[in-house]
Amino acid sequence: MKQKIALVLICICIVTMLTGCWGKSELRDVGIVSGIGIDAGTEAGFELTTQTIKPGDPKAGTPASVLIQTSKGATVFDGVRNFIITAKKKQIFQHIQVVIIGRELAMTGISPALDFFMRDHEPRSSMDVFIADQTAGEILQIKNKDFPIPSLTLKESVRVQEFLSKAPQVSIHNFYQGILEPYQDPYLPIIHKVKDNFEVYGTAIFNGEKLVGDLTAFETRGMLRVLGDAKAGIQVVKLPSSENEPILISIEIKKSKSSIKALFQNGQPSIQVEIKETGFIGDVSGQIRLDQQKINEIKGLYAKAIKLEVEKTIIKIQKQFKSNVFDFAGTIQRTNKKYWKENAKQWDEIYPELSVNVNVQTDITANGLEE
């Protein structure tokens, strides 16, 4: 009896050791993609560029790096599978960090380039999306010894943008939501090639799925202030001086909040944007005594600078690009459902002429010096 039990246990152990994961891929058989760029094809279809991770060798002191590979396809999925021809192995996208779209492609319509990433089971909806100032391929082919895996550095660089508020961080999920929502348009950060490096600043504004224009770094901060997403940054104001040159004062944004309301007068809508921002003085370029009177003067200049920046940004987005980034339509709909039901079909004509008023309140909580 004991021999039979022992035999059964041995068989169980053997069977357990022989089992494996169904559909499992060995690392040597696949390419782990950390970043992908998509450009319009020279004739038709798409041109894809990927950064595939090459594991380092700790014993040999070799750090991890990336292998740059390219492919073409009639569709993005077709191009992804065609990497097997050039890479001699299947590419997996479970660990992809960034997707970069070329400018020319974005101007013709971005949805066909991103559809694969929303449907396929491998890519994660949290990966960041960027618009390349020129082509996505040239960004991903940048080689810099300080950034062995550039796509990881790129993801981190846009995350720390919250300290500047000069570029938004947008996941592919949030971007797609902006396309699908009626009367609302999405936006993306812009990545620029600078010699053998890259810089992220500015915003690509969309009307539907098409890129229609760019915001500068400072206009981006104005947009983020309206959206309530300006978490930090430096606002420089000019304080008049008895000297020839004004005194420059740097104010660091500590907290910025906004609200957007729809008002109606004689049956016609208007938008009221309220911004409340708190900051503290980071540095002063000249010798001044920061008493309460001077602080109040600086607060006024601070509010004036914000108002000018925000109004300029709204005009550009609303009247030049005719993009519904701020969801004014949703605000009006929630405030006056009857008006919206009667006028929704005319929104494209109403929106560019919609009156938008901006009110800014500021406070300075510290002057940067110990009392």
Side-chain angles (χ1 to χ4, degrees), residues 183 339-350:
Y183 309 106
Y339 171 87
W340 182 253
K341 185 176 181 180
E342 294 173 351
N343 294 276
K345 293 182 179 180
Q346 287 77 44
W347 177 246
D348 288 344
E349 290 75 39
I350 294 171

Side-chain angles (χ1 to χ4, degrees), residues 31-101:
I32 301 175
V33 177
S34 61
I36 185 169
I38 307 172
D39 290 299
T42 52
E43 297 180 359
F46 301 91
E47 293 185 0
L48 279 58
T49 306
T50 58
Q51 288 183 355
T52 305
I53 295 177
K54 294 170 61 178
D57 185 350
K59 293 182 179 179
T62 305
S65 60
V66 293
L67 177 66
I68 309 299
Q69 299 179 109
T70 60
S71 175
K72 296 180 181 180
T75 66
V76 170
F77 197 11
D78 183 37
V80 165
R81 280 292 183 261
N82 285 338
F83 273 115
I84 295 175
I85 299 174
T86 56
K88 310 299 187 293
K89 58 178 67 175
K90 182 178 180 289
Q91 308 291 287
I92 62 173
F93 291 83
Q94 292 172 341
H95 304 286
I96 193 168
Q97 301 295 311
V98 297
V99 178
I100 304 173
I101 306 297

Side-chain angles (χ1 to χ4, degrees), residues 228-332:
D229 291 332
K231 298 179 181 179
I234 306 296
Q235 181 75 56
V236 178
V237 300
K238 296 180 179 180
L239 182 67
S241 170
S242 57
E243 304 294 331
N244 292 331
E245 296 294 328
I247 295 174
L248 301 181
I249 300 175
S250 300
I251 302 173
E252 182 169 7
I253 301 169
K254 184 178 181 181
K255 183 185 295 183
S256 185
K257 294 184 177 181
S258 71
S259 65
I260 301 174
K261 298 179 181 179
L263 305 177
F264 283 83
Q265 186 173 10
N266 299 324
Q268 297 303 311
S270 65
I271 294 293
Q272 181 72 32
V273 178
E274 299 279 348
I275 296 174
K276 295 182 179 180
E277 192 163 294
T278 302
F280 61 85
I281 296 174
D283 68 9
V284 179
S285 68
Q287 297 295 322
I288 57 172
R289 186 170 182 271
L290 291 175
D291 54 21
Q292 191 57 51
Q293 181 178 354
K294 191 63 68 175
I295 291 291
N296 289 338
E297 183 180 357
I298 294 171
K299 284 167 59 177
L301 293 171
Y302 184 21
K304 185 178 180 180
I306 294 172
K307 181 178 173 68
L308 184 65
E309 182 177 279
V310 167
E311 288 179 338
K312 179 182 177 182
T313 303
I314 291 175
I315 289 172
K316 190 171 186 179
I317 292 174
Q318 178 193 9
K319 298 186 180 297
Q320 182 178 339
F321 299 152
K322 296 179 174 57
S323 175
N324 295 276
V325 164
F326 301 117
D327 191 26
F328 290 158
T331 302
I332 292 173

Side-chain angles (χ1 to χ4, degrees), residues 105-345:
L105 175 58
M107 292 175 68
T108 61
I110 199 172
S111 291
L114 297 180
D115 189 76
F116 161 76
F117 300 98
M118 296 302 296
R119 294 180 186 276
D120 195 76
H121 68 282
E122 285 188 0
R124 299 176 181 178
S125 61
S126 60
M127 58 188 177
D128 290 321
V129 187
F130 299 80
I131 291 295
D133 185 43
Q134 296 298 325
T135 67
E138 70 175 3
I139 297 293
L140 284 175
Q141 292 185 40
I142 292 174
K143 293 184 178 180
N144 190 313
K145 63 180 181 180
D146 295 326
F147 313 129
I149 304 179
S151 51
L152 299 182
T153 304
L154 176 54
K155 187 175 181 68
E156 176 64 13
S157 70
V158 75
R159 187 190 68 79
V160 297
Q161 274 288 336
E162 67 181 46
F163 296 106
L164 291 174
S165 296
K166 292 183 178 180
Q169 182 176 13
V170 184
S171 69
I172 191 169
H173 173 77
N174 289 339
F175 179 79
Y176 234 84
Q177 285 296 111
I179 291 179
L180 297 177
E181 286 291 330
Y183 309 106
Q184 190 172 348
D185 293 310
Y187 51 87
L188 289 173
I190 303 174
I191 181 169
H192 308 257
K193 180 182 179 182
V194 183
K195 295 182 180 180
D196 61 345
N197 203 344
F198 56 78
E199 295 179 358
V200 179
Y201 60 86
T203 304
I205 300 296
F206 285 75
N207 192 320
E209 63 163 340
K210 293 184 178 181
L211 171 64
V212 292
D214 298 348
L215 298 182
T216 66
F218 294 107
E219 290 167 345
T220 294
R221 185 174 61 189
M223 179 193 77
L224 293 175
R225 276 171 160 150
V226 176
L227 295 172
D229 291 332
K231 298 179 181 179
I234 306 296
Q235 181 75 56
V236 178
V237 300
K238 296 180 179 180
L239 182 67
S241 170
S242 57
E243 304 294 331
N244 292 331
E245 296 294 328
I247 295 174
L248 301 181
I249 300 175
S250 300
I251 302 173
E252 182 169 7
I253 301 169
K254 184 178 181 181
K255 183 185 295 183
S256 185
K257 294 184 177 181
S258 71
S259 65
I260 301 174
K261 298 179 181 179
L263 305 177
F264 283 83
Q265 186 173 10
N266 299 324
Q268 297 303 311
S270 65
I271 294 293
Q272 181 72 32
V273 178
E274 299 279 348
I275 296 174
K276 295 182 179 180
E277 192 163 294
T278 302
F280 61 85
I281 296 174
D283 68 9
V284 179
S285 68
Q287 297 295 322
I288 57 172
R289 186 170 182 271
L290 291 175
D291 54 21
Q292 191 57 51
Q293 181 178 354
K294 191 63 68 175
I295 291 291
N296 289 338
E297 183 180 357
I298 294 171
K299 284 167 59 177
L301 293 171
Y302 184 21
K304 185 178 180 180
I306 294 172
K307 181 178 173 68
L308 184 65
E309 182 177 279
V310 167
E311 288 179 338
K312 179 182 177 182
T313 303
I314 291 175
I315 289 172
K316 190 171 186 179
I317 292 174
Q318 178 193 9
K319 298 186 180 297
Q320 182 178 339
F321 299 152
K322 296 179 174 57
S323 175
N324 295 276
V325 164
F326 301 117
D327 191 26
F328 290 158
T331 302
I332 292 173
Q333 182 181 16
R334 289 187 292 272
T335 303
N336 191 329
K337 291 182 173 59
K338 181 181 178 182
Y339 171 87
W340 182 253
K341 185 176 181 180
E342 294 173 351
N343 294 276
K345 293 182 179 180

